[in-house]
Amino acid sequence: MQGVNVKSEIGNLKKVILHRPGDELLNLTPNTLEELLFDDIPFLPVAQEEHDAFANILRGEGVEVVYLEDLMAEVLDAKPELRQQFLDQWIYEAGIRTDMYHDIITDYINSNYAGTKDMVMKTMAGINLQELPQKDTHLLVDMVSDRCKLVCAPMPNLYFTRDPFAMIGNGVSINRMYSVTRNRETIYGDYIFKYHPDFAGTPTYYDRNDTFHIEGGDILNINEHVLAIGISQRTEPDAIDAIAHNVFNDETSTIDTILAFNIPSSRAFMHLDTVFTQIDYDKFTIHPGIMGPLTVFEITPDGKGGTKIRERNEDLEKVLSEYVGQPVKLIPCGGGDRIAAEREQWNDGSNTLCVRPGTVVVYQRNNVTNDVLYKQGINCLEMPSAELSRGRGGPRCMSMPAWREAL
C-alpha cells in the first residue's frame, strides 16, 4: 500500500496510523493542564493497556497498525543525515532560542538517547530542567528557575493522531494546529510525508507553515467526490478556502465538492468529528446539540481556477442524502436524552471509528449511545476507555487511516 487512499469514512479499513501514549503523559501536571489542553491526568499504565486493546481490536479486524513513532524512526534510520536537522528544528520549535541551551539539550539527547526511536520518543515526552546536567550558566533565569520547570514541553495530545495531518483522497493535509503546544506535533508528519518510502510523494493540499489553522478532526471524506470540513474552534474558514483551491486544481484529485459545516466554537464541539461521524452507507452519529445552529456551505469549482460558494438552508438529512446518494438517518448521541447526550458527548459518544460499513469502534463507557447503535443494526466493537477518555477524544480522534478500500 504505497501512498495513501482514503476516499470515504466507511470503506474497509486496511492501514491506520496510531501513537501509543508514552512518557509525555508523565510530564502533565495540574499547573500545565490548561496549557497542554487536558482536563485531567491519565494514568499512563492503564492508558497504554487501553490503547493496546484498541490496536488489537483493529488488528483483529484485519487492519495493519503502524505507529507514528516507528515511522519517524524509520525516516531517521534510513537518512541519518536528517537527525541533527530534525533535532535543531525540534529544539527551536520548543522555544529554545539561545545557543547555550541548544547545545546543552543537543548534548543531553545525543548522550542519553543514541537510539533513533528512543530519541524520537524523548522529543515527544519533553525535557524538564532537572534532567539536564547542572552547569553554571551565569544566567539569572537559571538561578531563579524551579528545577522541575519544563524546558521543552511534552506533546501529550499526540495519541490523537487524527489532528496533525489528515488524508484527503490520495493526498494529505499537514496541518497548522490551533494551539502552539500542538503545532509542534506536525513536525513528525512533515518528515514522514517528505522522506518515508511508504509516503514520500503524496500530494500535499495544506502545509504546516501555511497561515491559517486547521485540524484533522474537522476533515471527513464522504466519498471520492465530496469532502466535509468543519469550521470550528480549531479550523478557520480561510484554511478551507486554501484546501479547496489546492484540491480542485490538482488533476489527480476526484473531489469536486467541499461541504463546510459551521459548528459552534466550544470545547464540547471541538472538531466536526466530535459531533458527527459516518458509521454506515446511510447512517451518521450526531450530537443533538448542533442540530439547531448548524449551517452548511457548498464549495465547488467555478471553472476559472477559483471557487463558488452556496449556503445550504435545507435540513442536514436532505443535504447529506443528496451527496451520499440515498436517504440517511442521523442517530443522536445518548439516544436523544439530553442528560445522557451531554454526559456521553463529553466522552466522545459521537466519535466513532468505522472499520467497515456498519462496524465501528466505540468507547465502552458510552453505553446509552452504544445501545442505540446496536438497535440500529450497528456492530459496535467496544474498547476500554477509563483513562484515554480524559484527553477528550474518542476512537476516531486516536486514529489516522492511511488506506481504505473503495466502497
Side-chain angles (χ1 to χ4, degrees), residues 26 85 110 115 168 182 296-297 303 327 387:
L26 299 180
Q85 174 186 308
N110 286 334
I168 298 174
R182 292 209 71 183
V296 181
F297 298 92
E387 297 302 318

Side-chain angles (χ1 to χ4, degrees), residues 19 21 24-25 28 36-38 124 153-160 181 184-185:
H19 167 62
E24 62 270 12
L25 295 187
L28 280 170
L36 297 174
L37 308 179
F38 269 70
M124 295 174 172
M155 303 185 202
N157 297 279
L158 258 181
Y159 72 88
F160 301 120
T181 190
R184 294 180 301 131
E185 298 175 25

Side-chain angles (χ1 to χ4, degrees), residues 284-296:
F284 293 78
T285 61
I286 192 162
H287 179 54
I290 69 160
M291 291 299 288
L294 188 64
T295 305
V296 181

Side-chain angles (χ1 to χ4, degrees), residues 31-46:
N31 289 336
T32 60
L33 285 177
E34 184 176 358
E35 173 191 348
L36 297 174
L37 308 179
F38 269 70
D39 298 304
D40 201 353
I41 302 172
F43 180 43
L44 179 59
V46 176

Side-chain angles (χ1 to χ4, degrees), residues 119-138:
M119 186 268 283
V120 170
M121 296 297 286
K122 185 57 182 173
T123 63
M124 295 174 172
I127 299 174
N128 61 56
L129 196 58
Q130 66 186 356
E131 294 179 73
L132 299 177
Q134 286 188 275
K135 294 185 179 181
D136 187 359
T137 61
H138 304 291

Side-chain angles (χ1 to χ4, degrees), residues 136-208:
D136 187 359
T137 61
H138 304 291
L139 296 175
L140 179 61
V141 65
D142 290 335
M143 297 183 70
V144 301
S145 291
D146 183 342
R147 289 290 293 166
C148 293
K149 173 188 173 185
L150 285 166
V151 180
C152 300
M155 303 185 202
N157 297 279
L158 258 181
Y159 72 88
F160 301 120
T161 52
R162 179 67 60 165
D163 296 323
F165 50 86
M167 312 310 176
I168 298 174
N170 297 120
V172 64
S173 170
I174 301 175
N175 300 323
R176 181 175 181 84
M177 309 286 273
Y178 169 74
S179 64
V180 173
T181 190
R182 292 209 71 183
N183 214 35
R184 294 180 301 131
E185 298 175 25
T186 64
I187 295 175
Y188 306 105
D190 200 32
Y191 277 78
I192 289 165
F193 284 97
K194 282 179 180 173
Y195 302 112
H196 196 284
D198 289 351
F199 298 103
T202 300
T204 301
Y205 296 132
Y206 204 76
D207 185 83
R208 69 188 302 265

Side-chain angles (χ1 to χ4, degrees), residues 285-336:
T285 61
I286 192 162
H287 179 54
I290 69 160
M291 291 299 288
L294 188 64
T295 305
V296 181
F297 298 92
E298 173 194 84
I299 307 171
T300 54
D302 66 1
K304 304 172 185 175
T307 60
K308 54 184 179 181
I309 302 174
R310 176 168 67 114
E311 183 174 345
R312 301 297 301 263
N313 295 309
E314 305 95 321
D315 290 341
L316 181 59
E317 291 98 325
K318 184 174 181 181
V319 175
L320 289 173
S321 296
E322 177 181 332
Y323 289 105
V324 170
Q326 60 183 303
V328 303
K329 177 178 286 189
L330 303 181
I331 302 173
C333 176

